[in-house]
Amino acid sequence: MTIILDTNVLIAAFISPQGICHEVFEMSIYNHTLFTSNFILGELRNKLKIKFNYSEKEVEEVRNI
């Protein structure tokens, strides 16, 4: 199954590693095909940097997952 996760779900998955969004993210990665877009990745990057003060290195680590 191909799954697209909303930017808000992705953000929640990374800022709260024990929440339901993190569980959904992990399940999607290990059991399905996770699909995204440049728009979603750009929005994720911007929100993590601006709203959650992620460094450039941390953002790149998230993006490489």
Side-chain angles (χ1 to χ4, degrees), residues 42-59:
E43 190 173 38
L44 175 63
R45 175 189 172 110
N46 289 337
K47 294 294 181 185
L48 289 176
K49 285 180 73 174
I50 295 168
K51 192 170 183 179
F52 298 101
N53 298 315
Y54 272 47
S55 69
E56 188 65 35
K57 182 180 177 184
E58 291 171 317
V59 170

Side-chain angles (χ1 to χ4, degrees), residues 16-27:
S16 181
Q18 296 177 338
I20 188 73
C21 290
H22 186 77
E23 291 177 23
V24 168
F25 178 73
E26 281 196 341
M27 181 195 67

Side-chain angles (χ1 to χ4, degrees):
M1 175 186 305
T2 301
I3 297 175
I4 300 172
L5 298 176
D6 176 87
T7 306
N8 292 317
V9 174
L10 293 173
I11 290 169
F14 288 107
I15 65 170
S16 181
Q18 296 177 338
I20 188 73
C21 290
H22 186 77
E23 291 177 23
V24 168
F25 178 73
E26 281 196 341
M27 181 195 67
S28 299
I29 287 177
Y30 295 119
N31 299 312
H32 303 286
T33 302
L34 187 58
F35 182 80
T36 191
S37 69
N38 288 330
F39 178 82
I40 292 171
L41 293 176
E43 190 173 38
L44 175 63
R45 175 189 172 110
N46 289 337
K47 294 294 181 185
L48 289 176
K49 285 180 73 174
I50 295 168
K51 192 170 183 179
F52 298 101
N53 298 315
Y54 272 47
S55 69
E56 188 65 35
K57 182 180 177 184
E58 291 171 317
V59 170
E60 285 305 313
E61 288 173 4
V62 165
R63 198 174 166 136
N64 290 330
I65 293 176

